[in-house]
Every structure is written in C-alpha cells, then in structure tokens.
Amino acid sequence: MNITKKIFLCLALIFSIIVTSSCGENKKTNQNGQESKNPAPPAPAVAENFEWKINNGTLEIIGEGGMPDYESFTATPWYKNRNSVKTVVLYDGITSVGNFAFSAMNTIKEIYMPEGVTHIGEKAFYECDGLESIKLPESLIVIGANAFGGCDHIKEIKIPENISHIGEYAFSMCSSLEKIELPEGITSIEQYTFFLCEELKEITIPSSINSIGICAFELCENLETIYYVGTSSEWDKVKKGEFWNGNSTKLKVYYSQS
C-alpha cells in the first residue's frame, strides 16, 4: 500500500474517533476503542489439533475447529516464512480464520476456504496486496473489521447470502473493487466499510439495512449508483451517519419497488 493511502487511513481513524465520540452512536467496544451497536456473533472455539505447514509455496491450515486469533501479523507462527507463500489452503474442518491470520502477506495470490467456515476475523487478510480474487463459502456469517482492508487488487467479491455481520473498515481501501452486492439479512453498514474504494461504481443494498455508519462510502469518488431493494420511503427511514456518502453530489439511489 502506498504512503498516500496510509496517510488517508490515519486521518480517517482520527476523524472516526472524534466523530463517533461526539455523536455517541455506538454501544459496544470496537477496534478504535469506541462501542459498536452491532457486535458480531462469537467465533467458534479454537481447534485443539490445529496445525500448519508450508509445502512448495502453499500454506496449509489443518484442524477441527477455529484458527487461533493473533495480536498482530508478526505474531503468526508462519511470519518468518510469509514471503514464500503464494497459496493458502484451509482444510475441511477449519471453521474460522483468526484475527491477523494472513495480514500483510503480499505474495498470496490464491486462498481456498471450505464450506463450514463461519467467521473471518479482524484484519485476517489486511493488506494482502497480491490477492486478486477470493471465493467466500456460503457458510460464512461474519466478516470481521478490516478483514480485507487494503487488498488493492480485488475487483469483485461475492458476499454469501448467510452473512449477518460485516465489520467496520471491512473493505476499506480496496481500490480496485468495482461493485458489490449485500445480501438480505444484513442490518447495518458499519462506519468506513467501503472507505477509499476509488473504483467502486455500484452497490446493491437490501431492505434489511436499518443503518449506515459514518463515512461508509467516504472517498468513493466513482460511486454513482445505489440499488436499494425496497421503496423510497423505506430508504428514508434508514439511519445514516455523518458523511455516510462523502457528501457526493453525483450518487443516485434507485428503488426496486415504487
């Protein structure tokens, strides 16, 4: 990630702390020390038989249960070998991706996750600059805060229908992301979820959404279209945080129902 984007993110973090503190919007602690009113369901228990190995550039994750959470990307056991990894394979039986699990592993090109994975932790794939695409399992219900932040080369990602929670900053600075469709059932778009997604042109928002956080689409300079699966009156009832749309004058909302 270039220095300009890092400066933008630092400024955004400072701004979010100031704004959310003054607004008093949230109710449970989030990654910035504020409180989140939409906490994620708890992750599965860590696998007792968890193990990993690297074979010919492939990092293999094995076990029956969840991956451990890590305090930072430098705390992962494969940190010293991270630059040799091109592919990550989670074996059947793994049910969650831990916090920081593959963060800043810039050489990763492919990730395979089996059905049965329900949680992707905070910053799990943060700044995986080499990652161009990823198929998320239909079993997935939680995408953690900043999970895919800074993944510069992902152009499109299909959100599974069972998703119930997407954390703040989840797709921030995904500068190549062009479109995304949120499935019915999600109730909120958290703050800064799509911050600085420069190529994002359209997004589909379900009628189940009842709130959009501050700066959710800030600096999405090419975002022109929101497809809302509902009526204009329902859209008007959605609570929208400050600068949710970056004060864009070209953004238009289209309704599926009159």
Side-chain angles (χ1 to χ4, degrees), residues 66-251:
M67 287 182 65
D69 288 327
Y70 302 98
E71 294 183 358
S72 71
F73 72 95
T74 60
T76 60
W78 42 83
Y79 171 71
K80 293 182 179 180
N81 305 103
R82 68 193 185 283
N83 292 328
S84 67
V85 176
K86 302 293 189 295
T87 303
V88 174
V89 176
L90 276 62
Y91 278 43
D92 287 340
I94 292 294
T95 55
S96 70
V97 180
N99 296 347
F100 289 94
F102 310 111
S103 182
M105 295 180 68
N106 298 327
T107 58
I108 293 177
K109 301 294 184 184
E110 298 176 300
I111 297 172
Y112 298 97
M113 280 188 280
E115 288 299 328
V117 172
T118 60
H119 287 63
I120 294 177
E122 295 183 6
K123 292 191 174 182
F125 301 101
Y126 181 68
E127 289 193 1
C128 285
D129 294 340
L131 188 62
E132 295 183 357
S133 64
I134 184 170
K135 182 179 180 181
L136 301 177
E138 290 300 320
S139 54
L140 193 65
I141 60 173
V142 172
I143 297 175
N146 235 326
F148 294 97
C151 290
D152 290 345
H153 292 97
I154 292 181
K155 292 185 177 181
E156 186 174 356
I157 188 166
K158 183 180 184 296
I159 306 298
E161 293 184 0
N162 290 321
I163 283 284
S164 63
H165 179 88
I166 298 176
E168 59 187 24
Y169 296 87
F171 300 100
S172 62
M173 300 180 296
C174 287
S175 56
S176 298
L177 186 65
E178 296 179 355
K179 65 178 181 179
I180 198 160
E181 181 175 342
L182 300 179
E184 192 70 31
I186 296 177
T187 59
S188 69
I189 299 174
E190 300 292 330
Q191 62 180 5
Y192 293 93
T193 299
F194 300 100
F195 169 72
L196 202 58
C197 289
E198 299 163 305
E199 294 301 317
L200 186 63
K201 297 176 177 63
E202 63 182 64
I203 183 169
T204 300
I205 296 178
S207 59
S208 56
I209 291 289
N210 54 44
S211 67
I212 301 176
I214 63 168
C215 298
F217 301 101
E218 177 73 15
L219 297 179
C220 294
E221 297 176 353
N222 289 301
L223 182 60
E224 297 183 353
T225 304
I226 289 178
Y227 295 107
Y228 178 68
V229 187
T231 65
S232 60
S233 61
E234 289 174 328
W235 174 252
D236 291 340
K237 294 176 183 178
V238 176
K239 183 179 180 181
K240 303 173 183 72
E242 292 188 71
F243 310 110
W244 71 273
N245 63 350
N247 286 336
S248 173
T249 57
K250 62 181 180 181
L251 181 60

Side-chain angles (χ1 to χ4, degrees), residues 25-90:
E25 275 188 20
N26 300 332
K27 296 183 180 177
K28 183 171 179 175
T29 301
N30 62 22
Q31 68 173 7
N32 294 324
Q34 270 72 54
E35 297 183 337
S36 177
K37 58 184 178 180
N38 296 296
V46 175
E48 294 184 2
N49 59 342
F50 175 79
E51 60 178 294
W52 64 276
K53 56 185 176 181
I54 297 177
N55 287 319
N56 298 321
T58 297
L59 173 56
E60 301 175 5
I61 305 297
I62 305 165
E64 297 291 332
M67 287 182 65
D69 288 327
Y70 302 98
E71 294 183 358
S72 71
F73 72 95
T74 60
T76 60
W78 42 83
Y79 171 71
K80 293 182 179 180
N81 305 103
R82 68 193 185 283
N83 292 328
S84 67
V85 176
K86 302 293 189 295
T87 303
V88 174
V89 176
L90 276 62

